[in-house]
Amino acid sequence: MHKKGIREVAHIAGVSISTVSRAFTRPELVSEKTRERVMEAASMLDFNISRSATALKSGQTFRVALLMNEEVTSWFNTQVFAGLNSVLHDAGYDISLFQHIDDAKNRESFFVNLPVLRNVDAVFVASFAIEPNEVEQLRRTHVPIIGINTPSSSAFDASISIDDEAGMFRAAQHMINLGHHKIVYTCSAAEESLEASIDARGRGFVRACEAAEGTHDIDWKVLSVPRGRDFADAALAAVLSEETFPDAICCQMDMMAIPLIIKLQRHGYYSPRDYSIIGFDDSAYADTVDLTTMRQDPFSMGATAAKKGLKLLRGEPLDEPHSIVEPRLVLRGTDARLEPDRPLER
Amino acid sequence: MHKKGIREVAHIAGVSISTVSRAFTRPELVSEKTRERVMEAASMLDFNISRSATALKSGQTFRVALLMNEEVTSWFNTQVFAGLNSVLHDAGYDISLFQHIDDAKNRESFFVNLPVLRNVDAVFVASFAIEPNEVEQLRRTHVPIIGINTPSSSAFDASISIDDEAGMFRAAQHMINLGHHKIVYTCSAAEESLEASIDARGRGFVRACEAAEGTHDIDWKVLSVPRGRDFADAALAAVLSEETFPDAICCQMDMMAIPLIIKLQRHGYYSPRDYSIIGFDDSAYADTVDLTTMRQDPFSMGATAAKKGLKLLRGEPLDEPHSIVEPRLVLRGTDARLEPDRPLER
DNA sequence: TTGAAAGCGGTACCAT
DNA sequence: ATGGTACCGCTTTCAA
C-alpha cells in the first residue's frame, strides 16, 4: 500500500484504469456498482485524480497569472485578487501571483524570461499600463490577456475598468456644486515610466474645474506630492502651507483623504465645518470617518474579469469584451454646502 | 511552426530532446554553443519548459494549499498570503487558496472531498483551529502541514504563532502600570464552534487583571460584542453605556480600537486626555490615529512559515519546528499616565 | 459498460 | 557532452 496510484485503485476495485478515470471524471459513464467499488478503493488508498497528469494530458495548465505593480496587500489589489479567486478557484484554476511588476528589474526580467510562457492558461493584468513592446512579448504566450483597470484596453482580449476620470470629474463637480471656491486636488505624483490607471483621476479633476471656470468663481489647484510611505503627511503639509486654506479637497484616494481628515483635526480644521472633502474608493474606514467618496468595487471587477477569462478559455464569445464601470458617489458626512453669506468661522 | 514542443526545438537546434531538457534545467551540463543554439530555437518557437510535465514526472505538484477562515481580504490574511507568496513564488510554487473554511458547509465539503489530496505538496493553515478528526483527514494527504497562528500546534509538522495571550497580558499590564483604575477589554465574541487564535487575547487580559487585583485598585471588565459587520459600533455602545466611563480600553485588535477612537471623539471623549486605549496588530491607520498598540507582523510570519514548509519539502530538518513570536509594544500617543491627584476633567 | 493502448511533454538513467 | 529510452499518471479513442 505504498504506491497509491490509479493502477492500485484499479487493481483493488478489480477494474481497469480507464474505468477508474471515468469514475472520477465522467461518473455517468460508469455503472452504479462499479463506481462504488472504485470510490471505495480510492478512499481506502487515499487516492485522488492528479491535477498534474490531467493538466499534462489536456494541454491546459489550470493556472492563470496575475500581474500587479506594488504589493498584493494594497486595498485594491487584495480585492481584485479575492474577486478573481472567488470565481477561478471553483473553476479549478490557481492564481500565480507576480508582484512588483512596476519595479524596473522585475519588469525586465518578467517580460524577457516570460516565465508564464506555456505555463498559464490566461494572464490578468491589474492596474497598470504595459508598453506596446511588452504587450507584444505577452502575446507570445498565445493565451487570453485580460486587463483590470489598465489605462488602455486595446491590447487586451478583454478588460474591465473603472472610469477614473469620470469619477473624479463627478467628485470635483460635486464640490463645485456645493458652492466651494478654493478647491484643491491632492495626489501622489505619477510614476514617471509607468502610467497607472489612477492617474486619470487628476485629469477628471482638472477638466471639471476648467469647465466650471466660466460659470463659477473658483480657484483650483493640483497639489501633487511624491510617492512613498508618507504621501499623506506630504499632502497634509501641502494643504496647510497654502496661502488660504481650501474650502474643498478632492483626494486621489481614500488612503489620502482619511489621514487628512484625522490630521487636519489636530490643526483645528474640521470637516464639514471648515471644509468639504471627498475621497475615492470607499475603502477601509471610509465609513468610520464618515467620508463622502466615490465608490468602486474591485472585488466584483476581479470576479467579472475572471468570468470573462473563463469564457475566453472556453472559446465562448464575449458579448462585451471591454467594460467600463462608473464609480458611484456615496454621500456621507464630510461634504456640506458653503453658505455664501455665512463665512466660515474658525 | 504550429506545435511548439520540445521535439520541435530539438529538431531545429539539431540536438536531442534530452539536450533541450538539460539546456533548461541543468545548463552546466550542456556546452556553451549547444546551449545557445537550443535557446535560440526555443525563443524562436516561443518554447518554455512545461511545468505540468515537470510536475508529473517529478511527482511534485509545485502547488501548496492555504486554508483560511473568513476572507483573504482581512488585514491578517492578506499579509500572511503575501508573506507566503514572497517566498513560495520564487521557489516555483503556486498557492491554491481555500477561503471560508470557517463556514460549516465549506468545511465539511473540504475535509470530506479533500480536494488537495495528491494535489498539493504542502498545506498551510492560517489562524484557526482544526478539530482532531479534521487533522486526521488532512494527514491523509501525506504532505507537510504548517500552522500559522493556530491555537494548538501539536497537530502540525511545523508552525509559527504569535503569543496572543502574552501580548494582551502585556498590553493590559501597561494600562495597569499607567495607573488606570477602570479597565475594559473590548472584543468580538468567539465563534462557538471554532476557536480562533485571537481568542487567547481575552485570556491574557483577564490574567493580567486578576494578577494585579491584589496590588492595584482596579476595576476591570470584558465587553464582548457579537461578531459581524458592526462590531465596532457595538463596542462603542457597550463602552458608552458603562456606568462609569473607563480610564483605559484594551482592544482585541486595531480594527476595534481605531473606530473607537474616532467615534468616541464625537461623544466628547478624547484619548489620551480622557482615557488611554491600546490596540493589537499595528495594522493600517494605526500610525495615522497615533495608536499605541501591540505589533505583530503576519507578513513575516507567512514568510517564515513558507521557509519552514520549503525545508520540510526538501526533507531538511527544522531546527525549531514550532516557533512563537512575541508581539511588541509600540508606544504612540493614545496612552498616558493617570495622575492620581489631577482627576480627569471633562 | 468496460478494457487495451497510445500518447501528453518532460526527466533521468544508461550508453556512447 | 550528448543521445536513446523507459517511464510519470491520466485521458481518450477504438474494440469488445
Side-chain angles (χ1 to χ4, degrees), chain B residues 235-312:
Chain B
L236 176 71
V239 169
L240 287 173
S241 58
E242 280 294 289
E243 193 177 334
T244 65
F245 191 80
D247 307 317
I249 305 176
C250 293
C251 293
Q252 186 185 33
M253 46 185 170
D254 288 359
M255 276 189 60
M256 178 79 97
I258 291 170
L260 275 183
I261 292 175
I262 291 172
K263 294 185 173 181
L264 280 172
Q265 286 184 10
R266 301 187 193 142
H267 292 268
Y269 295 101
Y270 289 82
S271 175
R273 191 192 70 183
D274 303 324
Y275 68 102
S276 289
I277 184 168
I278 185 167
F280 201 116
D281 281 345
D282 199 25
S283 59
Y285 295 111
D287 56 342
T288 301
V289 300
D290 209 20
L291 176 66
T292 290
T293 193
M294 300 302 301
R295 173 183 297 164
Q296 68 168 324
D297 183 353
F299 181 97
S300 91
M301 288 175 66
T304 302
K307 284 174 200 151
K308 292 189 181 207
L310 248 23
K311 279 201 173 183
L312 251 15

Side-chain angles (χ1 to χ4, degrees), chain A residues 16 18-19 22 30-31 34 56-57 118:
Chain A
S16 71
S18 319
T19 302
R22 279 189 284 254
V30 175
S31 79
T34 306
L56 176 57
K57 179 64 187 179
R118 294 220 316 158

Side-chain angles (χ1 to χ4, degrees), chain B residues 151-172:
Chain B
S152 150
S153 64
S154 57
F156 300 93
D157 299 294
S159 68
I160 175 159
S161 299
I162 195 228
D163 194 338
D164 282 294
E165 179 165 346
M168 191 51 80
F169 181 94
R170 191 173 278 278

